[in-house]
Amino acid sequence: MDIIIRDNYDEMSRYAAGVIADFIRKKPNCVLGLATGSTPIGTYKELIRMHKEEGLDFSQVVTFNLDEYLGLGIDLDKPYHLDQSYARFMYEELFKHINIRQENTYVPDGLTRDPEKYCQWYEEEIKKAGGIDLQLLGIGGDGHWAFNEPGSSLASRTRVQALNKQTLDDNYESFFKKAGIERDKMPHFAITMGIGTILEARNILMLASGLKKADVVAKCLEGPVTSQITASAIQLHSGGITVVLDRDAASRLNNLDHYLHVEKLKREYGLL
Ligand code: PGA
């Protein structure tokens, strides 16, 4: 596991975008798992810059998003400002700015009439695409990956999940409040890839920034593997793992000095 600590959010985002860009350059038709939330916005901005200024080419890239609120999706009949779907988020924050083909971008369909069947189909599509090469992840205030709330099985697959209070509070503050949507109008369920699904990605890139993530990051990386902090399943992943944190998010790690030392050593030996 490479734990990379950068001074601030912008530096974290630049590093993360560099990791993703390297994947795309090495394998132009790679399959990326993408995430929503406040954390990856800077990474997407940097990828857009790389596309515009350096010609980073997304024309063969395939993407699968982690999750979507049940009941939300891109609905052309809905007033634009009420659309808090993750499909819309991805379109606004990344897809519309780059040369990705729309048919290569998968975001779970929160408007599906048959969620159970849909979730199975989503899993099948990931398999058909050859599996996910690199999965981008944030971490929720409650330790979740995607919408795998505390108590989710670490072997879980794509399914419908009820959101817990902390997630509703966090996402209300970050997204719904700004859009003038009342809290009780927020969706309380979501379609989410499971932890088992996420662990099948060949590589993991997890990001966290800010003091409010410091405790949960320490529990995730240094505490026991537990379904109460579903992101702690990172400790079970067998492929390449890169965790990029800003100083604040890293500030409660017990072994902070060790991680800084290891990063320096790896750089000296050309391993990073
Ligand atoms: P955030 O959410 O990026 O908005 O903090 C992270 C997450 O819920 O995974």
Side-chain angles (χ1 to χ4, degrees):
M1 189 182 309
D2 291 327
I3 299 180
I4 309 291
I5 294 148
R6 287 290 172 269
D7 281 344
N8 54 45
Y9 177 81
D10 288 346
E11 293 296 318
M12 175 201 79
S13 301
R14 259 194 289 279
Y15 191 95
V19 172
I20 297 170
D22 280 349
F23 261 83
I24 298 174
R25 289 195 195 100
K26 279 191 201 127
K27 186 179 176 191
N29 62 347
C30 66
V31 180
L32 299 177
L34 296 181
T36 51
S38 322
T39 310
I41 290 176
T43 304
Y44 294 151
K45 279 200 167 64
E46 178 63 6
L47 287 173
I48 293 164
R49 189 199 65 71
M50 287 170 151
H51 167 67
K52 295 201 163 136
E53 294 176 13
E54 297 167 15
L56 184 64
D57 181 16
F58 291 83
S59 61
Q60 297 178 64
V61 171
V62 177
T63 64
F64 285 90
N65 263 78
L66 287 167
D67 47 14
E68 176 64 283
Y69 294 108
L70 204 61
L72 299 192
I74 289 193
D75 179 347
L76 297 176
D77 296 332
K78 257 191 202 166
Y80 175 77
H81 67 280
L82 285 181
D83 187 352
Q84 296 304 301
S85 71
Y86 283 164
R88 177 71 73 182
F89 175 102
M90 289 310 301
Y91 178 72
E92 295 295 335
E93 300 295 340
L94 183 64
F95 297 153
K96 79 173 182 188
H97 305 282
I98 58 176
N99 66 331
I100 198 158
R101 296 159 68 111
Q102 201 194 331
E103 64 270 29
N104 285 350
T105 64
Y106 294 77
V107 179
D109 179 8
L111 301 173
T112 178
R113 281 161 197 264
D114 187 344
E116 202 176 316
K117 201 162 152 209
Y118 182 83
C119 291
Q120 281 169 12
W121 177 84
Y122 202 73
E123 290 265 343
E124 286 303 316
E125 290 304 299
I126 294 173
K127 282 201 190 93
K128 270 197 229 160
I132 291 172
D133 290 305
L134 175 66
Q135 177 66 58
L136 176 63
L137 291 153
I139 178 171
D142 64 359
H144 68 206
W145 260 356
F147 277 130
N148 292 283
E149 302 292 36
S152 297
S153 157
L154 299 184
S156 52
R157 310 301 308 185
T158 303
R159 69 202 185 290
V160 172
Q161 167 81 50
L163 308 184
N164 78 358
K165 187 177 173 310
Q166 184 172 355
T167 297
L168 289 169
D169 288 346
D170 289 348
N171 291 7
Y172 176 67
E173 284 301 320
S174 300
F175 296 103
F176 288 84
K177 192 173 166 185
K178 285 182 199 147
I181 295 170
E182 290 162 37
R183 195 179 176 298
D184 61 3
K185 297 264 174 4
M186 277 182 75
H188 283 55
F189 291 88
I191 293 176
T192 181
M193 274 190 210
I195 295 295
T197 320
I198 294 169
L199 287 177
E200 280 171 12
R202 286 182 272 281
N203 296 277
I204 297 263
L205 172 59
M206 186 175 99
L207 314 180
S209 97
L211 265 185
K212 69 176 189 198
K213 294 285 172 72
D215 276 333
V216 83
V217 162
K219 284 182 187 154
C220 164
L221 297 178
E222 296 180 334
V225 175
T226 166
S227 64
Q228 295 307 304
I229 306 278
T230 57
S232 66
I234 198 168
Q235 299 175 41
L236 301 173
H237 189 259
S238 56
I241 307 174
T242 307
V243 178
V244 194
L245 308 171
D246 68 8
R247 286 244 168 223
D248 283 346
S251 59
R252 308 246 161 85
L253 289 169
N254 276 327
N255 295 322
L256 179 58
D257 290 344
H258 172 68
Y259 306 136
L260 291 166
H261 172 67
V262 170
E263 183 191 342
K264 193 162 159 275
L265 265 189
K266 282 186 179 168
R267 250 173 235 300
E268 277 168 25
Y269 282 81
L271 298 171
L272 269 181

